[in-house]
Amino acid sequence: MRLSFTFVICAALAAPVLAAPVYRAINWLYVVPVSADTFEVIDDRGESARAIWCAAADYVRAAGLDGVQKRIYIVEPRGPSQTQPNVKAVMFTTNPDAEMANTPSSYSVSVNRRGENLGVGHAYNFCVSLLEERFDRF
């Protein structure tokens, strides 16, 4: 009996380790890795496009996916999450297919079009401005 109880406890503690690690971005949005270079930003609170791009850029930097002139591309625009039930999300990649790679660079901020892309630094600047706005309220 004691052995089976120990096994159950160890299995319960190991289960979260076996699942894909979820990243919490600087603006508290969750990012779920899908593959080595594709991930989903969870939009469970109706966040702005700037907030979603901020979370994507923060994840790219934290995961070491950024590099010189690296861009982030939308694979799946805002819609039902593919990794979490009952929430909306935007799926991004740092490794675009040929069609996405030929999409013109973006200067507007949208999460509603496949292929939309921004430089990592450009997108990360939204984190700075969002945090400044939140601290200015106090």
Side-chain angles (χ1 to χ4, degrees):
M1 180 71 173
R2 180 119 173 117
L3 182 60
S4 63
F5 177 76
T6 304
F7 177 77
V8 169
I9 295 298
C10 289
L13 293 174
V17 175
L18 300 175
V22 174
Y23 178 77
R24 189 144 199 194
I26 191 170
N27 61 356
W28 295 90
L29 292 181
Y30 288 104
V31 181
V32 180
V34 175
S35 70
D37 53 18
T38 303
F39 55 93
E40 194 173 58
V41 175
I42 304 300
D43 177 22
D44 61 348
R45 302 182 306 237
E47 290 291 336
S48 68
R50 291 182 343 157
I52 292 170
W53 280 103
C54 161
D58 185 40
Y59 173 76
V60 166
R61 291 176 64 167
L65 300 174
D66 61 334
V68 178
Q69 303 296 321
K70 198 62 159 186
R71 300 189 74 76
I72 308 169
Y73 295 79
I74 293 179
V75 177
E76 292 292 333
R78 188 186 326 233
S81 170
Q82 295 182 21
T83 63
Q84 306 296 311
N86 304 318
V87 294
K88 295 203 179 283
V90 179
M91 188 168 297
F92 292 91
T93 188
T94 56
N95 187 19
D97 61 25
E99 180 185 338
M100 280 191 289
N102 290 324
T103 304
S105 298
S106 304
Y107 294 99
S108 64
V109 184
S110 173
V111 290
N112 298 319
R113 182 173 67 106
R114 183 180 194 281
E116 193 78 29
N117 61 90
L118 291 173
V120 174
H122 183 169
Y124 192 77
N125 280 334
F126 297 136
C127 297
V128 175
S129 63
L130 288 169
L131 292 174
E132 287 174 350
E133 288 172 14
R134 289 183 180 160
F135 284 116
D136 285 345
R137 293 182 201 163
F138 296 106

